[in-house]
């Protein structure tokens, strides 16, 4: 439940807090204890004096969680993408990027000054065709779960194409971390701490050599004050929950909600892939999406309208995100509100 206006209680279907941990008292307590011990702010970038023990502990835990040799933290997923791409490719290089990749990837590609080729959404053969041109270094980058549609990238096929063409495979796992196992596909794997982990920040999991290179080359890490160490304390606590039995229970609850919502969604004649907790109800014009969002809100359901530039013109939509914090009643209320609205 959220209260955006005094007295207005809404069931929130627009949050990426997939495991319901953002409001967890243990995570909040870890943040408070971390602040009491380490202070409210980091005071400088990691390479100066903003480098504290909880960040190193967290990076060790993240590497273990990811089954990677190492991990390096960033202030946000946006910053991590803008760090990653320019650290590996430059003006003589080629980036091949999915048409529906997140805006942070689009911006990261522009920042790199590499030649950028965009392939039609999830079209592996077109990605492979684009990789045939000569370039000093090649990088293929994709969201693992597409943030506005909820479908999955063909990661295995893309990584095979990368091997064939000597390209680096970079995967943005923002909407998968903690809820969808991806079998470690990708040379560079970016994950956010702001979604299923319920806190803030991000990391890249990779080999030790790659992480060392990032530490020395990634401008968003070098030239920005690091997140407060208390944030690392909170992410560590959240990660402990996500990795344990309780994490399994929460994922179970989440996927039951996804199934229940998908059944109801399809029952209304709407297409649902249920590949992830994200469902898109594409309505076309922005005013249609705004009108439907307002009607849902009258029924106590918060599901925001997503419009250009977040999505392409003509594909404005309502984006529903299911979480482990939803009850059966919440899910049914959203479906009833949709039925009354459409
Ligand atoms: C696919 C994807 N990558 C990166 C980001 C950015 O993550 P953050 O919100 O931690 O900056 C987002 C989030 O909004 C996203 O959906």
């Amino acid at each position: 439940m959220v209260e955006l206006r005094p007295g207005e209680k809404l069931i929130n279907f627009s949050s990426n807090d997939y495991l319901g941990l953002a409001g967890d008292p243990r995570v909040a307590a870890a943040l408070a204890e971390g602040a009491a011990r380490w202070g409210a702010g980091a005071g400088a970038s990691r390479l100066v004096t903003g480098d504290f023990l909880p960040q190193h502990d967290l990076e060790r835990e993240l590497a273990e969680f990811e089954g990677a040799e190492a991990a390096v933290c960033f202030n946000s997923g946006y910053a991590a993408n803008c760090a990653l791409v320019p650290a590996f490719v430059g003006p003589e290089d080629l980036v091949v990027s999915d048409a529906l990749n997140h805006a942070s990837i689009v911006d990261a590609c522009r920042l790199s000054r590499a030649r950028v080729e965009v392939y039609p959404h999830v079209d592996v053969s077109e990605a492979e065709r684009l990789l045939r041109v000569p370039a000093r270094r090649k990088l293929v980058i994709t969201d693992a779960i597409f943030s506005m549609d909820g479908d999955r990238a063909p990661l295995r096929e893309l990584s095979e194409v990368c091997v064939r063409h000597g390209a680096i495979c970079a995967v943005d796992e923002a909407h998968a971390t903690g809820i969808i196992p991806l079998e470690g596909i990708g040379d560079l794997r970016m994950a956010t701490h702001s979604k299923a982990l319920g806190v803030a920040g991000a990391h890249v999991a990779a080999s030790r050599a790659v992480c060392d290179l990032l530490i020395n080359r990634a401008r968003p890490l070098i030239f920005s004050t690091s997140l407060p160490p208390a944030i690392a304390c909170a992410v560590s606590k959240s990660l402990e929950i996500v990795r344990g039995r309780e994490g399994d229970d929460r994922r179970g609850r989440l996927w039951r909600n996804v199934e229940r919502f998908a059944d109801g969604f399809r029952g209304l004649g709407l297409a649902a892939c249920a590949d992830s907790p994200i469902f898109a109800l594409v309505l076309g014009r922005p005013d249609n999406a705004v009108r439907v969002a307002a009607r849902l809100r009258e029924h106590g359901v918060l599901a925001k309208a997503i419009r250009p530039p977040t999505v392409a013109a003509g594909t404005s939509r309502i984006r529903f995100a299911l979480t482990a914090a939803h009850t059966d009643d919440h899910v049914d209320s959203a479906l009833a509100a949709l039925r009354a609205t459409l």
Side-chain angles (χ1 to χ4, degrees):
M1 283 284 185
V2 282
E3 190 173 344
L4 295 185
R5 296 186 195 125
E8 186 191 29
K9 291 266 193 285
L10 297 167
I11 311 167
N12 189 355
F13 283 90
S14 283
S15 168
N16 300 316
D17 177 24
Y18 299 121
L19 293 178
L21 288 169
D24 189 278
R26 295 161 296 176
V27 178
L31 183 71
E33 284 157 23
R37 167 121 194 247
W38 300 97
S45 69
R46 289 286 297 274
L47 298 194
V48 184
T49 57
D51 195 35
F52 294 83
L53 278 176
Q55 294 151 335
H56 289 269
D57 290 343
L58 176 61
E59 284 171 343
R60 245 193 334 274
E61 292 155 12
L62 288 166
E64 199 185 296
F65 170 63
E66 297 280 14
E69 208 171 274
V72 54
C73 285
F74 292 90
N75 288 0
S76 67
Y78 189 100
N81 279 333
C82 288
L84 189 70
V85 180
F88 285 91
V89 288
E92 294 164 58
D93 303 324
L94 171 71
V95 179
V96 172
S97 175
D98 188 286
L100 294 191
N101 275 345
H102 188 255
S104 57
I105 295 179
V106 175
D107 294 356
C109 292
R110 288 180 185 144
L111 264 178
S112 75
R113 292 182 292 145
R115 171 173 168 188
V116 180
E117 296 288 355
V118 174
Y119 59 91
H121 183 50
V122 302
D123 187 338
V124 180
S125 48
E126 190 57 15
E128 177 151 35
R129 193 187 66 74
L130 292 168
L131 278 170
R132 292 211 174 95
V133 301
R136 189 188 64 160
R137 198 174 288 148
K138 300 176 187 177
L139 182 141
V140 175
I141 188 158
T142 184
D143 284 15
I145 303 297
F146 290 89
S147 55
M148 294 300 135
D149 293 82
D151 57 330
R152 299 187 189 199
L155 291 183
R156 191 159 295 288
E157 293 88 334
L158 277 175
S159 79
E160 285 164 8
V161 163
C162 287
V163 170
R164 279 202 289 280
H165 293 270
I168 302 166
C169 181
V171 181
D172 177 336
E173 300 183 350
H175 296 274
T177 303
I179 58 170
I180 299 173
L182 294 177
E183 301 165 33
I185 299 174
D187 306 303
L188 303 167
R189 292 155 53 213
M190 195 288 285
T192 51
H193 306 162
S194 50
K195 302 187 187 343
L197 289 170
V199 190
H203 68 267
V204 172
S207 66
R208 180 72 264 164
V210 162
C211 289
D212 286 346
L213 184 124
L214 280 172
I215 290 166
N216 288 289
R217 269 214 209 149
R219 293 172 70 85
L221 186 144
I222 299 169
F223 297 108
S224 186
T225 300
S226 68
L227 283 181
I231 295 284
C233 299
V235 177
S236 281
K237 174 49 78 181
S238 178
L239 192 63
E240 183 190 312
I241 297 168
V242 166
R243 295 176 76 184
R245 273 277 297 279
E246 187 181 331
D248 291 336
D249 293 344
R250 285 176 182 260
R251 278 181 288 277
R253 173 81 233 166
L254 170 67
W255 289 107
R256 279 195 298 283
N257 286 341
V258 168
E259 284 308 318
R260 191 177 184 91
F261 190 78
D263 282 349
F265 210 64
R266 292 187 190 114
L268 293 169
L270 305 169
C273 69
D275 264 2
S276 77
I278 302 164
F279 291 75
L281 171 61
V282 179
L283 293 161
R285 288 176 23 183
D287 49 337
N288 283 344
V290 171
R291 201 174 49 247
V292 170
R295 295 271 296 278
L296 291 171
R297 190 164 173 160
E298 283 163 17
H299 287 86
V301 169
L302 182 67
K304 303 282 280 201
I306 309 287
R307 295 168 280 171
T310 306
V311 292
T315 72
S316 289
R317 66 196 62 193
I318 305 293
R319 174 188 184 271
F320 291 90
L322 277 293
T323 79
H326 289 129
T327 62
D328 287 354
D329 280 351
H330 292 150
V331 175
D332 294 347
S333 299
L335 292 166
L338 255 179
R339 203 171 302 117
T341 298
L342 292 177

